[in-house]
C-alpha cells in the first residue's frame, strides 16, 4: 500500500536521529506526531491516506452531487418526494439492515432513478476495529440484500463515518468496490442548528462538490428544502456519483 514506504522511511529517520543526534524526547515527539498523522488520515477520507476515494468531480460547470447516508428510514419518502418535485437525482448509500427494514422505500429509490451505494450491513460503531474478513462480510452481506430486495448490484461503497484503515482498504479491494467520499460535510448528525448546517454547506460549495447528508431526520429534510432553493437560485445542476465512476471506466 502507498503509505508503507513512508512509514518505513519515517522509522528509519527516527532510529537515525535517536542513534546519532537525538534524545528520547525527540523520539517521543516524532512518534506522537506521526501517530497523530495516522489518526488524522484514518478519519479524513479526503486525504486518501489508506484508500483513494472519489471526493469530488472535476468539472468546469456549476454542478454538485447530493448524497444521503444511513437510509432508508422512515424519513426517506419525504426526501424522495422533494427530490421528485425538483426533478433531481441523488445518490443514496444504504445500510443493509435498513434496506431489510424498509424494502419498499429502497425499491422506490431505484424505481425513481436514483443511484444507490453500499454502506455496509450494520454501520457498526466498531467498524474501524473490524478485521478484513469481517469487513468483507459487512460489504458482501449488504450487496446480497441489495440484490434480493432491489435486484441491483453496485460497485459504489462509502465507509461508515468516513473511516479508513489497512483492513478496510483490503476489504474494498477484495470486493471490487470504489470508495466514495465527499468534500462538503454537512455535520447534520452532529448539530441541531439547521442554520449552521445550511451555512456550512453553502459556504464551502464548489463546482463538482459531493455533499454528505443523511436521510434520517426532519431537520435535514428542512435543510434540504432550503438547499434546493439555493442551488436553483445559483444555477447549480446536479449529478449522481456513478456518472464519475462510469466515465473513469471508459
Amino acid at each position: 500500500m502507498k503509505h508503507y514506504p513512508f512509514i518505513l522511511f519515517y522509522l528509519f529517520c527516527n532510529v537515525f536521529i535517536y542513534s546519532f543526534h537525538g534524545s528520547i524526547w525527540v523520539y517521543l515527539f516524532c512518534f506522537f506526531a506521526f501517530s497523530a498523522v495516522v489518526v488524522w488520515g484514518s478519519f479524513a477520507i479526503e486525504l486518501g491516506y489508506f484508500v483513494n476515494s472519489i471526493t469530488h468531480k472535476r468539472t468546469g460547470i456549476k454542478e454538485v452531487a447530493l448524497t444521503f447516508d444511513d437510509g432508508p428510514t422512515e424519513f426517506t419518502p419525504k426526501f424522495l418526494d422533494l427530490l421528485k418535485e425538483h426533478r433531481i437525482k441523488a445518490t443514496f448509500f444504504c445500510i443493509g439492515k435498513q434496506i431489510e427494514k424498509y424494502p419498499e422505500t429502497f425499491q422506490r429509490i431505484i424505481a425513481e432513478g436514483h443511484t444507490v451505494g453500499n454502506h455496509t450491513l450494520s454501520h457498526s460503531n466498531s467498524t474501524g476495529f473490524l478485521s478484513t474478513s469481517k469487513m468483507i462480510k459487512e460489504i458482501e452481506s449488504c450487496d446480497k440484500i441489495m440484490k434480493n430486495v432491489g435486484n441491483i448490484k453496485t460497485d459504489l461503497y462509502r465507509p461508515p463515518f468516513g473511516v479508513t484503515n489497512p483492513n478496510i482498504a483490503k476489504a474494498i479491494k477484495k470486493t471490487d468496490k470504489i470508495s466514495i467520499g465527499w468534500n462538503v460535510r454537512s455535520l447534520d448528525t452532529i448539530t441541531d442548528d439547521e442554520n449552521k448546517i445550511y451555512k456550512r454547506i453553502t459556504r464551502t460549495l464548489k463546482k463538482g462538490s459531493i455533499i454528505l447528508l443523511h436521510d434520517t431526520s426532519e431537520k435535514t429534510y428542512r435543510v434540504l428544502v432550503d438547499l434546493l432553493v439555493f442551488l436553483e437560485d445559483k444555477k447549480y445542476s446536479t449529478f449522481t456519483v456513478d456518472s464519475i465512476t462510469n466515465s473513469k471506466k471508459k
Side-chain angles (χ1 to χ4, degrees), residues 124-136:
S124 169
N125 289 333
S126 61
T127 294
F129 303 97
L130 297 180
S131 64
T132 299
S133 61
K134 288 183 178 179
M135 276 306 308
I136 290 174

Side-chain angles (χ1 to χ4, degrees), residues 80-148:
L80 293 174
D81 289 342
L82 184 61
L83 293 171
K84 187 175 183 179
E85 178 185 339
H86 287 263
R87 299 181 181 179
I88 288 176
K89 305 301 181 187
T91 306
F92 289 81
F93 290 93
C94 301
I95 299 171
K97 289 185 176 180
Q98 289 298 117
I99 295 173
E100 289 182 319
K101 191 173 181 181
Y102 299 97
E104 295 85 2
T105 303
F106 181 68
Q107 291 164 353
R108 180 183 169 188
I109 292 172
I110 298 167
E112 294 187 359
H114 300 288
T115 297
V116 295
N118 186 311
H119 203 38
T120 72
L121 171 68
S122 62
H123 200 293
S124 169
N125 289 333
S126 61
T127 294
F129 303 97
L130 297 180
S131 64
T132 299
S133 61
K134 288 183 178 179
M135 276 306 308
I136 290 174
K137 185 176 181 180
E138 280 279 322
I139 295 171
E140 290 182 339
S141 295
C142 184
D143 274 345
K144 185 176 180 180
I145 293 170
M146 285 184 160
K147 182 66 175 177
N148 291 340

